[in-house]
Amino acid sequence: MWFIMAEDMKTPLLSDSEGPADALPVCLTSPTVAILGSGDFSRSLAVRLVASGVRVVVGSRCVNRIPSGLFPDAVELRNQEGAVSQAACLVFMALFPEHYRSLLGLQSALAGKVLVDVSNAAEVNIHGPSNAERLAELFPDSLVVKGFNTVSTWELQTGAHDGSRQVLICSNSTEGKKKILQLARQMGFHPVDMGGLSAAREIEVAPLRLFPSWSGPVVVTFLLFLFFYGYGFLREILLPFLAQGHNAFYRLTLDLVNESLPAVALVTLALVYFPGLFAAWLQLWRGTKYRRFPSWLDNWLQWRKQLGLLSFLCAALHGVYSLCLPLRRITLHRIVNAVYRQVNAGTEEPWDELGVWRSELYLSCGVLGLGVLSLLAITSLPSVGNTLNWKEFTFVQSGLGYIALTLSIMHTLFFGWDFAFHIEAYPFYMPPSYLLAVALPCIVLLCRCFLLLPCILTRLTRIRRGWESKRNCPVLQHHDVVANGIP
């Protein structure tokens, strides 16, 4: 009985939507897969296929130049014609697209077989057909499938069944697509059907894009840093030098950076929660949840995870910079000068009770805020977030997120204390940087408090459960409201 149970454990709990038609093809029950090309990708693909129980034959233009031991012993090395003749139904084209025409002499041998194009685009801005579409034009009697180009050689060698990366697949041939989908599952990957072969253009440029979802948040964070750094340079260094001749350019490398980072972290964290509040107020004003948000708001909502991680980065750098402050030579110089003046004047420095409480409170709030922000960053990782249910994830990202924002605001306010009310804090009529940084977060917290009022929260909850105002849905909704259990 134990071996029957072992076989049952290998059977998927949920079958695919295709049903029996998506079962393992006959040609894969005792598979022989050909790989044309003998480069790094071909070697890694062969290793993964052999580990998945697939018989592999590699075709090369010159078999003799392949070093001994490059491929596993189970892999058979042949010329291109021999490899194609050995393939049951699948042929991987592991060579550069410019060499596709060199295979035109194999058109008859490749007819009826599935050709898997694993190439990538040469540049992001592509014009004309994709590599897979060109391959389909060259071999019209073959079934061309685009796939496996988003998987690196390293990921192919990490093991037979421990890969969790998605494999994007597209083709105009339903039969060929089914075979590659099944083979990808057999190799331990998660295949994703992207539709027809026209989708190959997007799939081919996907590996060339550098953090496509991060460009906007990174630009926003960088511009915020430039603003606060430039504002601090103008207020605290350039204008005092021009007006009074006071040279403080040494503050450019550490002091000014450390003053700009917390401001950027605070504003960026506020930008994480501001679009959600704006969307809530927009739904309240419209009286429905079924109208689409503007495109800029949709993009902003999609940036929240990246903005939160960048906020954590700035806060962490601020903490490291702050730990370095006592080690600076200028700090030791100031301490020695203060002691010298005190001794020379014959006075004893009185205990500053207010200053002590100020430093204790703002440091404590800063440490707690960074700790909660670290928890938000950790739960943003898919490996951690996937272990949480929706209630837990919402509590961490929303509930604890507002706690982190509140602690960060308190850290800033305790640091500023009552300095904002002194005329000395406004040289050249310019307010301190922290006063500018705390404005937007305070607005976010105030809007959040308004949304928690029972009269507003009840209406917003009803809207998000499908209720609409009569100007959007003039039909009487009394029956629907009662049916949902909402008085």
Side-chain angles (χ1 to χ4, degrees):
M1 290 298 295
W2 66 269
F3 59 86
I4 297 177
M5 294 177 63
E7 289 298 327
D8 291 341
M9 292 297 291
K10 296 179 181 180
T11 304
L13 295 177
L14 298 176
S15 61
D16 294 313
S17 59
E18 290 84 358
D22 202 28
L24 190 66
V26 176
C27 63
L28 287 181
T29 55
S30 55
T32 299
V33 175
I35 305 176
L36 298 185
S38 56
D40 292 335
F41 189 87
S42 173
R43 178 169 58 89
S44 301
L45 182 60
V47 171
R48 188 66 172 244
L49 286 170
V50 169
S52 302
V54 180
R55 182 172 176 267
V56 179
V57 54
V58 172
S60 175
R61 289 176 295 178
C62 184
V63 182
N64 296 330
R65 70 180 178 183
I66 301 178
S68 176
L70 182 64
F71 287 86
D73 295 336
V75 176
E76 184 178 355
L77 302 179
R78 288 175 170 264
N79 57 25
Q80 293 176 340
E81 294 83 357
V84 171
S85 64
Q86 289 290 318
C89 62
L90 296 181
V91 178
F92 281 89
M93 311 293 284
L95 40 84
F96 289 103
E98 53 264 30
H99 301 304
Y100 286 166
R101 289 188 174 274
S102 64
L103 302 175
L104 288 177
L106 302 176
Q107 277 185 333
S108 58
L110 292 173
K113 295 184 179 180
V114 179
L115 307 185
V116 186
D117 178 49
V118 299
S119 66
N120 292 320
E123 56 184 10
V124 177
N125 298 321
I126 57 174
H127 302 284
S130 62
N131 296 333
E133 290 172 319
R134 294 192 184 99
L135 182 64
E137 292 176 358
L138 293 174
F139 299 91
D141 296 328
S142 302
L143 310 179
V144 176
V145 179
K146 185 72 187 183
F148 289 92
N149 66 300
T150 57
V151 184
S152 67
T153 56
W154 171 258
E155 289 163 333
L156 284 170
Q157 296 185 41
T158 53
H161 297 289
D162 58 353
S164 59
R165 185 177 174 87
Q166 290 182 340
V167 175
L168 308 181
I169 294 173
C170 70
S171 176
N172 291 336
S173 169
T174 304
E175 178 186 355
K177 192 187 302 183
K178 285 183 179 180
K179 294 177 181 178
I180 302 304
L181 289 171
Q182 188 64 35
L183 180 61
R185 296 189 187 99
Q186 185 177 347
M187 296 170 66
F189 290 106
H190 177 64
V192 179
D193 188 350
M194 300 296 293
L197 201 60
S198 59
R201 301 181 186 181
E202 283 298 318
I203 297 177
E204 288 178 358
V205 301
L208 304 182
R209 293 196 173 101
L210 182 63
F211 301 111
S213 61
W214 284 81
S215 56
V218 169
V219 169
V220 170
T221 306
F222 181 70
L223 291 177
L224 285 173
F225 181 81
L226 284 183
F227 169 77
F228 284 107
Y229 189 86
Y231 183 84
F233 171 73
L234 182 65
R235 177 181 179 272
E236 302 177 18
I237 298 178
L238 184 60
L239 290 180
F241 177 75
L242 296 176
Q244 306 163 3
H246 177 64
N247 187 351
F249 285 92
Y250 66 89
R251 303 183 66 238
L252 286 172
T253 56
L254 198 147
D255 268 343
L256 202 55
V257 173
N258 195 38
E259 291 176 4
S260 303
L261 285 174
V264 175
L266 187 56
V267 174
T268 307
L269 187 58
L271 291 176
V272 173
Y273 296 99
F274 188 70
L277 298 176
F278 190 86
W281 285 109
L282 194 60
Q283 288 177 338
L284 286 170
W285 178 67
R286 290 175 171 177
T288 180
K289 72 169 186 177
Y290 295 106
R291 291 180 59 185
R292 296 281 301 174
F293 294 135
S295 57
W296 59 268
L297 183 56
D298 273 335
N299 293 331
W300 194 354
L301 290 169
Q302 295 173 9
W303 288 354
R304 289 180 294 180
K305 176 181 177 180
Q306 292 84 351
L307 289 172
L309 292 175
L310 290 171
S311 174
F312 169 71
L313 172 64
C314 295
L317 290 176
H318 170 57
V320 174
Y321 270 104
S322 298
L323 292 175
C324 297
L325 290 178
L327 305 178
R328 299 181 309 159
R329 184 177 296 273
I330 186 63
T331 302
L332 300 177
H333 177 75
R334 289 171 179 171
I335 293 175
V336 171
N337 282 347
V339 173
Y340 176 79
R341 286 194 300 268
Q342 182 178 337
V343 173
N344 193 37
T347 59
E348 183 177 344
E349 187 71 20
W351 173 259
D352 187 3
E353 183 78 16
L354 191 64
V356 170
W357 273 104
R358 167 181 167 265
S359 62
E360 297 293 314
L361 288 172
Y362 93 80
L363 286 175
S364 179
C365 290
V367 171
L368 290 175
L370 181 59
V372 178
L373 199 57
S374 303
L375 183 60
L376 298 179
I378 292 174
T379 53
S380 297
L381 299 175
S383 57
V384 179
N386 291 339
T387 62
L388 306 176
N389 60 37
W390 178 246
K391 187 72 173 180
E392 295 167 342
F393 185 79
T394 304
F395 170 76
V396 173
Q397 293 293 323
S398 182
L400 294 185
Y402 277 103
I403 292 178
L405 183 61
T406 303
L407 289 171
S408 302
I409 293 174
M410 293 173 61
H411 170 70
T412 306
L413 294 179
F414 281 132
F415 174 80
W417 206 253
D418 60 345
F419 294 164
F421 304 102
H422 296 170
I423 189 63
E424 295 84 2
Y426 296 86
F428 310 103
Y429 303 100
M430 301 176 70
S433 298
Y434 67 83
L435 200 60
L436 299 178
V438 82
L440 181 61
C442 287
I443 294 174
V444 170
L445 275 187
L446 187 62
C447 292
R448 178 61 177 174
C449 292
F450 273 113
L451 288 178
L452 292 177
L453 294 176
C455 57
I456 299 178
L457 182 60
T458 301
R459 180 180 175 85
L460 182 61
T461 303
R462 294 174 64 190
I463 290 175
R464 289 177 173 175
R465 289 176 61 88
W467 179 88
E468 293 184 275
S469 63
K470 291 185 178 180
R471 58 190 171 95
N472 292 293
C473 186
V475 181
L476 282 178
Q477 303 177 27
H478 177 71
H479 175 73
D480 295 335
V481 169
V482 173
N484 286 326
I486 304 175

